[in-house]
């Protein structure tokens, strides 16, 4: 744990069902500023739904979510659209499918959000975007179209686009799962730099090496519940729960 101040994310009693299928079953969790939380678990355990609830993309059925000083969800009721958009400027999200605008250049993809939602001038937004592209190693791609980029480059642009909104928290939903294996490393390296710089991050991933190296806390989910949570040294070396042990044995045996 890097910080002992008030949690930047506080979740209590979070529930979500799709029809009769319970996806989240009473989640309680706190995230401290500058903390890197990596969420692992089998497919269908509720990891991505948990993440999507944290920025209002999915509406919970119950529980409360406080994030960046805002009550995002109060017993299943979300903020109104205007307040939700304000909050999303503080909570960046990177998806596995990139979600870049195909008809806009890389530079335009990154500047459209800050100009529309943060009121930046074109010059200010472009200067910030070029700095971010330098950070992710893609300054030379500023004026190309997304179709000309590799998957790893698209994901790095997506990270730069999220950072352009100057978020206080970054959410990553399996950011490398759609990439060819040789492109995974370049995206993880950018995420490692963000962690070193003190960005608060919640990462859903199957990349166990990243979890071991970068996480402050590893959260193991199964069946819509948090099975256990702790530092990677404990989770990977001496997990307390049989379900964690069986999951890690299955995953690490395939590595």
């Amino acid at each position: 744990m890097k910080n002992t101040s008030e949690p930047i994310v506080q979740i209590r009693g979070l529930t979500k069902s799709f029809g009769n299928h319970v996806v989240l079953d009473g989640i309680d969790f706190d995230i401290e500023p500058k903390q890197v939380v990596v969420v692992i678990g089998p497919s269908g355990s509720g990891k991505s739904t948990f993440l999507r609830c944290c920025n209002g993309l999915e509406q919970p059925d119950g529980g409360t979510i406080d994030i960046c000083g805002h009550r995002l969800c109060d017993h299943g009721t979300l903020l109104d659209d205007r307040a939700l958009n304000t909050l999303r400027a503080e909570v960046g999200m990177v998806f596995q499918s990139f979600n870049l605008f195909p008809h806009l250049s890389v530079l335009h993809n990154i500047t459209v959000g800050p100009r529309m939602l943060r009121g930046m001038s074109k010059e200010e937004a472009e200067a910030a975007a070029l700095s971010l592209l330098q950070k992710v190693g893609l300054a030379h791609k500023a004026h190309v179209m997304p179709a000309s980029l590799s998957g790893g480059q698209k994901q790095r642009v997506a990270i730069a686009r999220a950072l352009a909104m100057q978020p206080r928290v970054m959410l990553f939903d399996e950011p490398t799962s759609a990439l060819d294996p040789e492109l995974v490393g370049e995206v993880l390296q950018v995420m490692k730099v963000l962690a070193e710089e003190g960005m608060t991050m919640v990462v859903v991933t199957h990349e166990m090496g990243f979890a071991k190296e970068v996480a402050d806390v590893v959260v193991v989910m199964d069946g819509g519940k948090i099975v256990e949570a702790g530092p990677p040294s404990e989770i990977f070396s001496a997990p307390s729960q049989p379900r964690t042990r069986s999951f890690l044995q299955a995953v690490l045996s395939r590595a």
Side-chain angles (χ1 to χ4, degrees), residues 31 35-40 47 50-51 170-176 188 191 200-207 210-211 214-215 217 219:
I31 299 167
Q35 200 171 50
V36 178
V37 175
V38 175
V39 185
I40 64 174
K47 305 183 301 295
F50 167 70
L51 208 63
M170 284 282 286
L171 310 176
F172 294 86
D173 188 8
E174 300 192 20
T176 60
L188 294 181
M191 294 169 65
T200 306
M201 298 165 59
V202 186
V203 185
V204 171
T205 186
H206 294 291
E207 298 293 334
F210 177 84
V214 181
V217 175
V219 174

PDB file of all heavy atoms in Angstrom, residues 31 35-40 47 50-51 170-176 188 191 200-207 210-211 214-215 217 219:
ATOM      1  N   ILE A  31      -9.994   1.503  -2.353  1.00  0.00           N
ATOM      2  CA  ILE A  31      -8.767   1.722  -3.123  1.00  0.00           C
ATOM      3  C   ILE A  31      -8.172   3.050  -2.682  1.00  0.00           C
ATOM      4  O   ILE A  31      -8.867   4.076  -2.653  1.00  0.00           O
ATOM      5  CB  ILE A  31      -9.059   1.737  -4.640  1.00  0.00           C
ATOM      6  CG1 ILE A  31      -9.635   0.379  -5.078  1.00  0.00           C
ATOM      7  CG2 ILE A  31      -7.787   2.056  -5.422  1.00  0.00           C
ATOM      8  CD1 ILE A  31     -10.229   0.377  -6.456  1.00  0.00           C
ATOM      9  N   GLN A  35      -2.615   3.756  -5.519  1.00  0.00           N
ATOM     10  CA  GLN A  35      -2.550   2.301  -5.391  1.00  0.00           C
ATOM     11  C   GLN A  35      -2.825   1.645  -6.741  1.00  0.00           C
ATOM     12  O   GLN A  35      -3.654   2.126  -7.521  1.00  0.00           O
ATOM     13  CB  GLN A  35      -3.587   1.835  -4.376  1.00  0.00           C
ATOM     14  CG  GLN A  35      -3.346   0.473  -3.781  1.00  0.00           C
ATOM     15  CD  GLN A  35      -4.300   0.186  -2.634  1.00  0.00           C
ATOM     16  OE1 GLN A  35      -5.511   0.348  -2.753  1.00  0.00           O
ATOM     17  NE2 GLN A  35      -3.754  -0.226  -1.506  1.00  0.00           N
ATOM     18  N   VAL A  36      -2.113   0.562  -7.009  1.00  0.00           N
ATOM     19  CA  VAL A  36      -2.368  -0.248  -8.197  1.00  0.00           C
ATOM     20  C   VAL A  36      -3.044  -1.537  -7.744  1.00  0.00           C
ATOM     21  O   VAL A  36      -2.449  -2.337  -7.017  1.00  0.00           O
ATOM     22  CB  VAL A  36      -1.074  -0.570  -8.962  1.00  0.00           C
ATOM     23  CG1 VAL A  36      -1.381  -1.454 -10.179  1.00  0.00           C
ATOM     24  CG2 VAL A  36      -0.378   0.716  -9.398  1.00  0.00           C
ATOM     25  N   VAL A  37      -4.295  -1.704  -8.144  1.00  0.00           N
ATOM     26  CA  VAL A  37      -5.080  -2.878  -7.788  1.00  0.00           C
ATOM     27  C   VAL A  37      -5.275  -3.717  -9.048  1.00  0.00           C
ATOM     28  O   VAL A  37      -5.773  -3.222 -10.068  1.00  0.00           O
ATOM     29  CB  VAL A  37      -6.455  -2.484  -7.208  1.00  0.00           C
ATOM     30  CG1 VAL A  37      -7.315  -3.725  -6.952  1.00  0.00           C
ATOM     31  CG2 VAL A  37      -6.275  -1.681  -5.925  1.00  0.00           C
ATOM     32  N   VAL A  38      -4.858  -4.964  -9.007  1.00  0.00           N
ATOM     33  CA  VAL A  38      -5.031  -5.876 -10.137  1.00  0.00           C
ATOM     34  C   VAL A  38      -6.071  -6.914  -9.759  1.00  0.00           C
ATOM     35  O   VAL A  38      -5.966  -7.570  -8.710  1.00  0.00           O
ATOM     36  CB  VAL A  38      -3.703  -6.553 -10.522  1.00  0.00           C
ATOM     37  CG1 VAL A  38      -3.946  -7.593 -11.618  1.00  0.00           C
ATOM     38  CG2 VAL A  38      -2.700  -5.506 -11.015  1.00  0.00           C
ATOM     39  N   VAL A  39      -7.094  -7.048 -10.606  1.00  0.00           N
ATOM     40  CA  VAL A  39      -8.210  -7.963 -10.358  1.00  0.00           C
ATOM     41  C   VAL A  39      -8.054  -9.172 -11.265  1.00  0.00           C
ATOM     42  O   VAL A  39      -7.988  -9.034 -12.496  1.00  0.00           O
ATOM     43  CB  VAL A  39      -9.563  -7.271 -10.617  1.00  0.00           C
ATOM     44  CG1 VAL A  39     -10.715  -8.204 -10.229  1.00  0.00           C
ATOM     45  CG2 VAL A  39      -9.656  -5.960  -9.839  1.00  0.00           C
ATOM     46  N   ILE A  40      -7.988 -10.350 -10.667  1.00  0.00           N
ATOM     47  CA  ILE A  40      -7.841 -11.588 -11.428  1.00  0.00           C
ATOM     48  C   ILE A  40      -8.964 -12.538 -11.041  1.00  0.00           C
ATOM     49  O   ILE A  40      -9.675 -12.329 -10.060  1.00  0.00           O
ATOM     50  CB  ILE A  40      -6.466 -12.243 -11.195  1.00  0.00           C
ATOM     51  CG1 ILE A  40      -6.313 -12.680  -9.728  1.00  0.00           C
ATOM     52  CG2 ILE A  40      -5.338 -11.300 -11.596  1.00  0.00           C
ATOM     53  CD1 ILE A  40      -5.031 -13.481  -9.453  1.00  0.00           C
ATOM     54  N   LYS A  47     -15.434  -9.720 -12.982  1.00  0.00           N
ATOM     55  CA  LYS A  47     -14.349  -8.736 -12.972  1.00  0.00           C
ATOM     56  C   LYS A  47     -14.682  -7.507 -13.826  1.00  0.00           C
ATOM     57  O   LYS A  47     -14.571  -6.369 -13.367  1.00  0.00           O
ATOM     58  CB  LYS A  47     -13.039  -9.360 -13.477  1.00  0.00           C
ATOM     59  CG  LYS A  47     -12.603 -10.608 -12.747  1.00  0.00           C
ATOM     60  CD  LYS A  47     -11.271 -11.126 -13.241  1.00  0.00           C
ATOM     61  CE  LYS A  47     -11.229 -11.469 -14.714  1.00  0.00           C
ATOM     62  NZ  LYS A  47     -12.098 -12.594 -15.086  1.00  0.00           N
ATOM     63  N   PHE A  50     -17.623  -5.472 -12.495  1.00  0.00           N
ATOM     64  CA  PHE A  50     -17.156  -4.677 -11.364  1.00  0.00           C
ATOM     65  C   PHE A  50     -16.498  -3.388 -11.839  1.00  0.00           C
ATOM     66  O   PHE A  50     -16.789  -2.289 -11.354  1.00  0.00           O
ATOM     67  CB  PHE A  50     -16.182  -5.521 -10.537  1.00  0.00           C
ATOM     68  CG  PHE A  50     -15.398  -4.752  -9.520  1.00  0.00           C
ATOM     69  CD1 PHE A  50     -16.012  -4.224  -8.395  1.00  0.00           C
ATOM     70  CD2 PHE A  50     -14.031  -4.555  -9.683  1.00  0.00           C
ATOM     71  CE1 PHE A  50     -15.279  -3.507  -7.449  1.00  0.00           C
ATOM     72  CE2 PHE A  50     -13.299  -3.846  -8.739  1.00  0.00           C
ATOM     73  CZ  PHE A  50     -13.931  -3.316  -7.624  1.00  0.00           C
ATOM     74  N   LEU A  51     -15.626  -3.509 -12.844  1.00  0.00           N
ATOM     75  CA  LEU A  51     -14.925  -2.342 -13.362  1.00  0.00           C
ATOM     76  C   LEU A  51     -15.896  -1.361 -14.015  1.00  0.00           C
ATOM     77  O   LEU A  51     -15.811  -0.143 -13.804  1.00  0.00           O
ATOM     78  CB  LEU A  51     -13.877  -2.805 -14.374  1.00  0.00           C
ATOM     79  CG  LEU A  51     -12.649  -1.923 -14.553  1.00  0.00           C
ATOM     80  CD1 LEU A  51     -11.851  -1.849 -13.267  1.00  0.00           C
ATOM     81  CD2 LEU A  51     -11.775  -2.461 -15.680  1.00  0.00           C
ATOM     82  N   MET A 170      -7.443   5.461 -13.185  1.00  0.00           N
ATOM     83  CA  MET A 170      -7.496   4.800 -14.487  1.00  0.00           C
ATOM     84  C   MET A 170      -7.974   3.365 -14.302  1.00  0.00           C
ATOM     85  O   MET A 170      -7.455   2.623 -13.458  1.00  0.00           O
ATOM     86  CB  MET A 170      -6.117   4.804 -15.144  1.00  0.00           C
ATOM     87  CG  MET A 170      -5.712   6.149 -15.728  1.00  0.00           C
ATOM     88  SD  MET A 170      -6.508   6.500 -17.325  1.00  0.00           S
ATOM     89  CE  MET A 170      -5.595   5.407 -18.414  1.00  0.00           C
ATOM     90  N   LEU A 171      -8.960   2.987 -15.114  1.00  0.00           N
ATOM     91  CA  LEU A 171      -9.499   1.631 -15.117  1.00  0.00           C
ATOM     92  C   LEU A 171      -9.080   0.948 -16.415  1.00  0.00           C
ATOM     93  O   LEU A 171      -9.242   1.517 -17.495  1.00  0.00           O
ATOM     94  CB  LEU A 171     -11.028   1.663 -15.017  1.00  0.00           C
ATOM     95  CG  LEU A 171     -11.646   2.516 -13.910  1.00  0.00           C
ATOM     96  CD1 LEU A 171     -13.168   2.501 -14.027  1.00  0.00           C
ATOM     97  CD2 LEU A 171     -11.207   2.032 -12.532  1.00  0.00           C
ATOM     98  N   PHE A 172      -8.570  -0.258 -16.310  1.00  0.00           N
ATOM     99  CA  PHE A 172      -8.134  -1.022 -17.486  1.00  0.00           C
ATOM    100  C   PHE A 172      -8.879  -2.346 -17.513  1.00  0.00           C
ATOM    101  O   PHE A 172      -8.742  -3.163 -16.594  1.00  0.00           O
ATOM    102  CB  PHE A 172      -6.633  -1.299 -17.433  1.00  0.00           C
ATOM    103  CG  PHE A 172      -5.757  -0.086 -17.538  1.00  0.00           C
ATOM    104  CD1 PHE A 172      -5.437   0.656 -16.404  1.00  0.00           C
ATOM    105  CD2 PHE A 172      -5.235   0.310 -18.761  1.00  0.00           C
ATOM    106  CE1 PHE A 172      -4.621   1.768 -16.488  1.00  0.00           C
ATOM    107  CE2 PHE A 172      -4.411   1.425 -18.853  1.00  0.00           C
ATOM    108  CZ  PHE A 172      -4.104   2.162 -17.727  1.00  0.00           C
ATOM    109  N   ASP A 173      -9.658  -2.578 -18.570  1.00  0.00           N
ATOM    110  CA  ASP A 173     -10.434  -3.817 -18.688  1.00  0.00           C
ATOM    111  C   ASP A 173      -9.761  -4.748 -19.690  1.00  0.00           C
ATOM    112  O   ASP A 173      -9.947  -4.633 -20.897  1.00  0.00           O
ATOM    113  CB  ASP A 173     -11.868  -3.506 -19.132  1.00  0.00           C
ATOM    114  CG  ASP A 173     -12.762  -4.733 -19.070  1.00  0.00           C
ATOM    115  OD1 ASP A 173     -12.322  -5.772 -18.550  1.00  0.00           O
ATOM    116  OD2 ASP A 173     -13.914  -4.645 -19.543  1.00  0.00           O
ATOM    117  N   GLU A 174      -8.934  -5.649 -19.180  1.00  0.00           N
ATOM    118  CA  GLU A 174      -8.201  -6.614 -19.998  1.00  0.00           C
ATOM    119  C   GLU A 174      -7.554  -5.925 -21.202  1.00  0.00           C
ATOM    120  O   GLU A 174      -7.823  -6.282 -22.365  1.00  0.00           O
ATOM    121  CB  GLU A 174      -9.125  -7.758 -20.422  1.00  0.00           C
ATOM    122  CG  GLU A 174      -9.694  -8.515 -19.235  1.00  0.00           C
ATOM    123  CD  GLU A 174     -10.375  -9.819 -19.616  1.00  0.00           C
ATOM    124  OE1 GLU A 174     -10.094 -10.336 -20.711  1.00  0.00           O
ATOM    125  OE2 GLU A 174     -11.169 -10.338 -18.812  1.00  0.00           O
ATOM    126  N   PRO A 175      -6.683  -4.950 -20.967  1.00  0.00           N
ATOM    127  CA  PRO A 175      -6.177  -4.112 -22.056  1.00  0.00           C
ATOM    128  C   PRO A 175      -5.286  -4.827 -23.054  1.00  0.00           C
ATOM    129  O   PRO A 175      -5.024  -4.296 -24.127  1.00  0.00           O
ATOM    130  CB  PRO A 175      -5.389  -3.023 -21.315  1.00  0.00           C
ATOM    131  CG  PRO A 175      -4.979  -3.667 -20.026  1.00  0.00           C
ATOM    132  CD  PRO A 175      -6.128  -4.561 -19.663  1.00  0.00           C
ATOM    133  N   THR A 176      -4.801  -6.028 -22.726  1.00  0.00           N
ATOM    134  CA  THR A 176      -3.917  -6.736 -23.659  1.00  0.00           C
ATOM    135  C   THR A 176      -4.543  -7.999 -24.241  1.00  0.00           C
ATOM    136  O   THR A 176      -3.917  -8.680 -25.035  1.00  0.00           O
ATOM    137  CB  THR A 176      -2.602  -7.127 -22.952  1.00  0.00           C
ATOM    138  OG1 THR A 176      -2.903  -7.995 -21.842  1.00  0.00           O
ATOM    139  CG2 THR A 176      -1.864  -5.896 -22.441  1.00  0.00           C
ATOM    140  N   LEU A 188       1.974  -3.110 -21.662  1.00  0.00           N
ATOM    141  CA  LEU A 188       2.256  -3.282 -20.231  1.00  0.00           C
ATOM    142  C   LEU A 188       3.352  -2.333 -19.768  1.00  0.00           C
ATOM    143  O   LEU A 188       3.322  -1.837 -18.639  1.00  0.00           O
ATOM    144  CB  LEU A 188       2.644  -4.728 -19.934  1.00  0.00           C
ATOM    145  CG  LEU A 188       1.548  -5.781 -20.139  1.00  0.00           C
ATOM    146  CD1 LEU A 188       2.081  -7.166 -19.786  1.00  0.00           C
ATOM    147  CD2 LEU A 188       0.309  -5.469 -19.318  1.00  0.00           C
ATOM    148  N   MET A 191       1.860   0.958 -18.962  1.00  0.00           N
ATOM    149  CA  MET A 191       1.115   0.870 -17.710  1.00  0.00           C
ATOM    150  C   MET A 191       2.058   0.847 -16.504  1.00  0.00           C
ATOM    151  O   MET A 191       1.754   1.424 -15.456  1.00  0.00           O
ATOM    152  CB  MET A 191       0.212  -0.364 -17.736  1.00  0.00           C
ATOM    153  CG  MET A 191      -0.894  -0.264 -18.788  1.00  0.00           C
ATOM    154  SD  MET A 191      -1.763  -1.830 -19.052  1.00  0.00           S
ATOM    155  CE  MET A 191      -2.531  -2.065 -17.442  1.00  0.00           C
ATOM    156  N   THR A 200      -3.355   6.173  -9.776  1.00  0.00           N
ATOM    157  CA  THR A 200      -4.247   5.174  -9.174  1.00  0.00           C
ATOM    158  C   THR A 200      -4.822   4.327 -10.298  1.00  0.00           C
ATOM    159  O   THR A 200      -5.408   4.860 -11.243  1.00  0.00           O
ATOM    160  CB  THR A 200      -5.375   5.850  -8.388  1.00  0.00           C
ATOM    161  OG1 THR A 200      -4.813   6.755  -7.431  1.00  0.00           O
ATOM    162  CG2 THR A 200      -6.226   4.813  -7.667  1.00  0.00           C
ATOM    163  N   MET A 201      -4.665   3.019 -10.214  1.00  0.00           N
ATOM    164  CA  MET A 201      -5.057   2.135 -11.308  1.00  0.00           C
ATOM    165  C   MET A 201      -5.795   0.910 -10.787  1.00  0.00           C
ATOM    166  O   MET A 201      -5.416   0.340  -9.759  1.00  0.00           O
ATOM    167  CB  MET A 201      -3.815   1.683 -12.093  1.00  0.00           C
ATOM    168  CG  MET A 201      -3.051   2.821 -12.748  1.00  0.00           C
ATOM    169  SD  MET A 201      -1.378   2.360 -13.296  1.00  0.00           S
ATOM    170  CE  MET A 201      -1.709   1.034 -14.439  1.00  0.00           C
ATOM    171  N   VAL A 202      -6.842   0.523 -11.524  1.00  0.00           N
ATOM    172  CA  VAL A 202      -7.527  -0.749 -11.288  1.00  0.00           C
ATOM    173  C   VAL A 202      -7.460  -1.504 -12.603  1.00  0.00           C
ATOM    174  O   VAL A 202      -7.968  -1.024 -13.629  1.00  0.00           O
ATOM    175  CB  VAL A 202      -8.983  -0.561 -10.847  1.00  0.00           C
ATOM    176  CG1 VAL A 202      -9.589  -1.913 -10.468  1.00  0.00           C
ATOM    177  CG2 VAL A 202      -9.091   0.419  -9.690  1.00  0.00           C
ATOM    178  N   VAL A 203      -6.841  -2.664 -12.592  1.00  0.00           N
ATOM    179  CA  VAL A 203      -6.544  -3.398 -13.815  1.00  0.00           C
ATOM    180  C   VAL A 203      -7.132  -4.799 -13.745  1.00  0.00           C
ATOM    181  O   VAL A 203      -6.755  -5.593 -12.876  1.00  0.00           O
ATOM    182  CB  VAL A 203      -5.020  -3.497 -14.054  1.00  0.00           C
ATOM    183  CG1 VAL A 203      -4.728  -4.164 -15.396  1.00  0.00           C
ATOM    184  CG2 VAL A 203      -4.355  -2.119 -13.973  1.00  0.00           C
ATOM    185  N   VAL A 204      -8.055  -5.101 -14.645  1.00  0.00           N
ATOM    186  CA  VAL A 204      -8.525  -6.469 -14.836  1.00  0.00           C
ATOM    187  C   VAL A 204      -7.648  -7.098 -15.904  1.00  0.00           C
ATOM    188  O   VAL A 204      -7.545  -6.577 -17.023  1.00  0.00           O
ATOM    189  CB  VAL A 204     -10.011  -6.493 -15.268  1.00  0.00           C
ATOM    190  CG1 VAL A 204     -10.417  -7.909 -15.686  1.00  0.00           C
ATOM    191  CG2 VAL A 204     -10.911  -6.006 -14.146  1.00  0.00           C
ATOM    192  N   THR A 205      -6.969  -8.182 -15.578  1.00  0.00           N
ATOM    193  CA  THR A 205      -6.027  -8.755 -16.534  1.00  0.00           C
ATOM    194  C   THR A 205      -5.801 -10.237 -16.259  1.00  0.00           C
ATOM    195  O   THR A 205      -6.050 -10.723 -15.153  1.00  0.00           O
ATOM    196  CB  THR A 205      -4.676  -8.011 -16.478  1.00  0.00           C
ATOM    197  OG1 THR A 205      -3.825  -8.498 -17.514  1.00  0.00           O
ATOM    198  CG2 THR A 205      -3.983  -8.197 -15.139  1.00  0.00           C
ATOM    199  N   HIS A 206      -5.299 -10.927 -17.298  1.00  0.00           N
ATOM    200  CA  HIS A 206      -4.830 -12.304 -17.151  1.00  0.00           C
ATOM    201  C   HIS A 206      -3.308 -12.355 -17.136  1.00  0.00           C
ATOM    202  O   HIS A 206      -2.733 -13.450 -17.130  1.00  0.00           O
ATOM    203  CB  HIS A 206      -5.372 -13.167 -18.294  1.00  0.00           C
ATOM    204  CG  HIS A 206      -6.863 -13.330 -18.271  1.00  0.00           C
ATOM    205  ND1 HIS A 206      -7.521 -14.063 -17.308  1.00  0.00           N
ATOM    206  CD2 HIS A 206      -7.830 -12.826 -19.074  1.00  0.00           C
ATOM    207  CE1 HIS A 206      -8.832 -14.023 -17.524  1.00  0.00           C
ATOM    208  NE2 HIS A 206      -9.033 -13.272 -18.590  1.00  0.00           N
ATOM    209  N   GLU A 207      -2.664 -11.190 -17.164  1.00  0.00           N
ATOM    210  CA  GLU A 207      -1.203 -11.121 -17.187  1.00  0.00           C
ATOM    211  C   GLU A 207      -0.668 -11.232 -15.758  1.00  0.00           C
ATOM    212  O   GLU A 207      -0.537 -10.241 -15.040  1.00  0.00           O
ATOM    213  CB  GLU A 207      -0.743  -9.815 -17.841  1.00  0.00           C
ATOM    214  CG  GLU A 207      -1.166  -9.654 -19.289  1.00  0.00           C
ATOM    215  CD  GLU A 207      -0.491 -10.656 -20.209  1.00  0.00           C
ATOM    216  OE1 GLU A 207       0.621 -11.123 -19.865  1.00  0.00           O
ATOM    217  OE2 GLU A 207      -1.065 -10.963 -21.271  1.00  0.00           O
ATOM    218  N   PHE A 210       2.539  -9.240 -14.789  1.00  0.00           N
ATOM    219  CA  PHE A 210       2.268  -7.831 -14.497  1.00  0.00           C
ATOM    220  C   PHE A 210       1.720  -7.682 -13.082  1.00  0.00           C
ATOM    221  O   PHE A 210       2.133  -6.791 -12.336  1.00  0.00           O
ATOM    222  CB  PHE A 210       1.269  -7.284 -15.521  1.00  0.00           C
ATOM    223  CG  PHE A 210       0.848  -5.857 -15.274  1.00  0.00           C
ATOM    224  CD1 PHE A 210       1.626  -4.809 -15.730  1.00  0.00           C
ATOM    225  CD2 PHE A 210      -0.318  -5.578 -14.590  1.00  0.00           C
ATOM    226  CE1 PHE A 210       1.243  -3.484 -15.501  1.00  0.00           C
ATOM    227  CE2 PHE A 210      -0.716  -4.269 -14.354  1.00  0.00           C
ATOM    228  CZ  PHE A 210       0.075  -3.213 -14.818  1.00  0.00           C
ATOM    229  N   ALA A 211       0.800  -8.554 -12.715  1.00  0.00           N
ATOM    230  CA  ALA A 211       0.218  -8.496 -11.372  1.00  0.00           C
ATOM    231  C   ALA A 211       1.294  -8.670 -10.302  1.00  0.00           C
ATOM    232  O   ALA A 211       1.332  -7.939  -9.307  1.00  0.00           O
ATOM    233  CB  ALA A 211      -0.864  -9.562 -11.218  1.00  0.00           C
ATOM    234  N   VAL A 214       3.759  -5.315 -10.516  1.00  0.00           N
ATOM    235  CA  VAL A 214       3.295  -3.930 -10.424  1.00  0.00           C
ATOM    236  C   VAL A 214       2.235  -3.718  -9.343  1.00  0.00           C
ATOM    237  O   VAL A 214       2.148  -2.639  -8.758  1.00  0.00           O
ATOM    238  CB  VAL A 214       2.759  -3.455 -11.802  1.00  0.00           C
ATOM    239  CG1 VAL A 214       2.299  -2.009 -11.737  1.00  0.00           C
ATOM    240  CG2 VAL A 214       3.836  -3.615 -12.870  1.00  0.00           C
ATOM    241  N   ALA A 215       1.430  -4.726  -9.045  1.00  0.00           N
ATOM    242  CA  ALA A 215       0.294  -4.523  -8.144  1.00  0.00           C
ATOM    243  C   ALA A 215       0.729  -4.246  -6.711  1.00  0.00           C
ATOM    244  O   ALA A 215       1.703  -4.820  -6.217  1.00  0.00           O
ATOM    245  CB  ALA A 215      -0.616  -5.751  -8.167  1.00  0.00           C
ATOM    246  N   VAL A 217      -2.020  -4.434  -4.579  1.00  0.00           N
ATOM    247  CA  VAL A 217      -3.014  -5.372  -4.077  1.00  0.00           C
ATOM    248  C   VAL A 217      -3.523  -6.208  -5.244  1.00  0.00           C
ATOM    249  O   VAL A 217      -3.827  -5.663  -6.311  1.00  0.00           O
ATOM    250  CB  VAL A 217      -4.208  -4.641  -3.416  1.00  0.00           C
ATOM    251  CG1 VAL A 217      -5.295  -5.637  -3.006  1.00  0.00           C
ATOM    252  CG2 VAL A 217      -3.749  -3.841  -2.204  1.00  0.00           C
ATOM    253  N   VAL A 219      -6.615  -8.670  -6.229  1.00  0.00           N
ATOM    254  CA  VAL A 219      -7.962  -9.073  -5.827  1.00  0.00           C
ATOM    255  C   VAL A 219      -8.350 -10.301  -6.651  1.00  0.00           C
ATOM    256  O   VAL A 219      -8.269 -10.276  -7.884  1.00  0.00           O
ATOM    257  CB  VAL A 219      -8.970  -7.939  -6.073  1.00  0.00           C
ATOM    258  CG1 VAL A 219     -10.399  -8.413  -5.796  1.00  0.00           C
ATOM    259  CG2 VAL A 219      -8.637  -6.726  -5.214  1.00  0.00           C
TER     260      VAL A 219
END
